[in-house]
Amino acid sequence: MTGIKFNRSDSNWPDILLLFILAIPFLLIAYAYFTAKFGLERRYEADITFINIPKDDEAIAEGRRLSRIRGCFWCHGENLEGDQYFAEADRGIIVVAPNLTKKIREYSPEDFSRAVRHGIRPDGTSLQPAMPSFAYYNISDDDMGLILAYIQNLPEQEGMLGEFRLMPLGWIRWTLNSFPNNVASMIDHNVERLSPAVNGPSHLRGKYLAESICTECHGDNGRKRVFGTPDLNIALGYSREEFFHLMRSGEPRHDEPIDYHMIEVSKYRYIDMKDTEIDALYSYLQSLREGMN
């Protein structure tokens, strides 16, 4: 039998190799796209908790105060109508905080509460990473009811739909883990919430406030959520008077350097904190030295 001989000069291997090399970027982009897509579409589960929502004017006013302290207006707009939180094409991401006056009417109170505290939408997907549900997880049922009472009482606004959109560079950054993970992945959904300790020891009341407010930026156990924010132990060097001044004005002691986030939140959020709350927060931070918590 006469065998068939291949002439190497007629081989199409160089063309195949060239096509393969040209296809590599497209294959990598496709891999990044589907990795990001499946990551963002991951489903989570958490128990739904019944929330009692008061209707009286005093409760609604307190709900407004709590909403301001925890930064709802900070991201969602002055009337909670939604706001573009972040948009940088050169970093591959667009983030729009949704209109809460619409969401409060679309979600049941229990679904709204689960979204805030667990970072989980009714369909089981995670809220966008910018939502600090890992801090809000510890908001008590009573405080959550007050916040819902306030938002429910607001008139529905024309505003912006929520959006978390990754562009091609964003797909790649997601694949390389250079974005924060889904916020629902940052939470142990079964851990017991802290007691608000409303009438308890001052340092325990302060721990509740720290864990449901301060951890938005400072994180917990040394984890830094916002780049450059110090560990909360920095407060150990502050006197009570210096700490109160910091919380009310955003001005640190002795002209020490401070991140602009702290300057802003002290003026527009913490200004609504009661003196007793700041005092409790100071007591908790001081207790870190003594191992009381």
Side-chain angles (χ1 to χ4, degrees):
M1 177 182 292
T2 302
I4 299 176
K5 296 182 178 180
F6 294 93
N7 189 334
R8 287 184 176 273
S9 63
D10 295 330
S11 172
N12 59 356
W13 277 110
D15 293 335
I16 294 175
L17 180 61
L18 177 61
L19 288 173
F20 179 73
I21 292 174
L22 293 175
I24 287 177
F26 297 99
L27 293 172
L28 291 175
I29 290 174
Y31 173 77
Y33 167 76
F34 284 107
T35 298
K37 175 180 171 62
F38 292 140
L40 291 171
E41 292 179 353
R42 177 183 171 186
R43 263 43 177 191
Y44 299 83
E45 293 184 358
D47 292 337
I48 294 178
T49 304
F50 171 77
I51 300 294
N52 180 54
I53 304 176
K55 302 296 183 183
D56 59 280
D57 292 343
E58 184 178 352
I60 292 170
E62 177 64 2
R64 180 184 185 279
R65 189 184 75 87
L66 295 178
S67 298
R68 296 199 71 86
I69 290 172
R70 288 182 170 81
C72 300
F73 300 89
W74 191 259
C75 297
H76 294 271
E78 189 58 33
N79 296 304
L80 302 185
E81 75 280 12
D83 196 11
Q84 183 167 285
Y85 176 75
F86 193 87
E88 289 192 9
D90 60 340
R91 297 180 67 185
I93 183 173
I94 293 176
V95 180
V96 177
N99 183 341
L100 295 186
T101 68
K102 287 186 178 293
K103 291 295 182 185
I104 199 70
R105 291 165 170 81
E106 294 172 359
Y107 289 12
S108 70
E110 290 72 28
D111 280 336
F112 195 97
S113 172
R114 185 172 68 160
V116 172
R117 297 196 293 189
H118 291 271
I120 301 175
R121 299 186 182 94
D123 66 1
T125 59
S126 175
L127 298 185
Q128 53 192 251
M131 177 66 178
S133 294
F134 55 87
Y136 298 161
Y137 178 82
N138 276 304
I139 294 177
S140 69
D141 290 350
D142 287 343
D143 282 353
M144 181 58 64
L146 292 168
I147 291 171
L148 292 179
Y150 168 66
I151 300 175
Q152 281 186 348
N153 190 63
L154 290 173
E156 185 172 349
Q157 303 284 333
E158 291 299 325
M160 306 180 75
L161 299 176
E163 182 180 15
F164 180 75
R165 176 155 55 95
L166 298 180
M167 291 170 280
L169 179 59
W171 306 337
I172 295 171
R173 291 184 63 206
W174 180 280
T175 303
L176 296 176
N177 293 321
S178 64
F179 276 139
N181 203 345
N182 288 334
V183 66
S185 292
M186 302 180 189
I187 300 167
D188 183 346
H189 300 281
N190 296 312
V191 70
E192 184 178 357
R193 288 190 177 85
L194 292 175
S195 167
V198 176
N199 298 311
S202 182
H203 72 281
L204 292 184
R205 175 63 175 165
K207 181 175 184 178
Y208 166 75
L209 295 170
E211 292 292 342
S212 62
I213 299 175
C214 304
T215 52
E216 176 185 346
C217 291
H218 293 272
D220 61 317
N221 298 320
R223 176 170 58 82
K224 307 295 194 301
R225 171 67 173 176
V226 174
F227 179 77
T229 55
D231 191 283
L232 289 174
N233 284 326
I234 192 172
L236 294 176
Y238 277 69
S239 69
R240 190 176 299 272
E241 292 73 20
E242 289 169 337
F243 186 73
F244 263 79
H245 183 71
L246 170 68
M247 293 295 290
R248 293 300 190 201
S249 69
E251 298 174 359
R253 61 176 192 162
H254 310 316
D255 295 323
E256 295 171 341
I258 191 169
D259 184 78
Y260 80 94
H261 288 91
M262 186 62 192
I263 298 173
E264 295 294 305
V265 298
S266 64
K267 292 180 179 179
Y268 300 106
R269 290 171 54 177
Y270 300 162
I271 194 67
D272 284 325
M273 291 186 76
K274 300 175 181 177
D275 286 350
T276 54
E277 291 173 326
I278 295 179
D279 192 64
L281 187 58
Y282 182 77
S283 296
Y284 164 65
L285 295 175
Q286 292 301 309
S287 77
L288 298 176
R289 187 201 316 271
E290 302 165 10
M292 291 172 57
N293 59 309

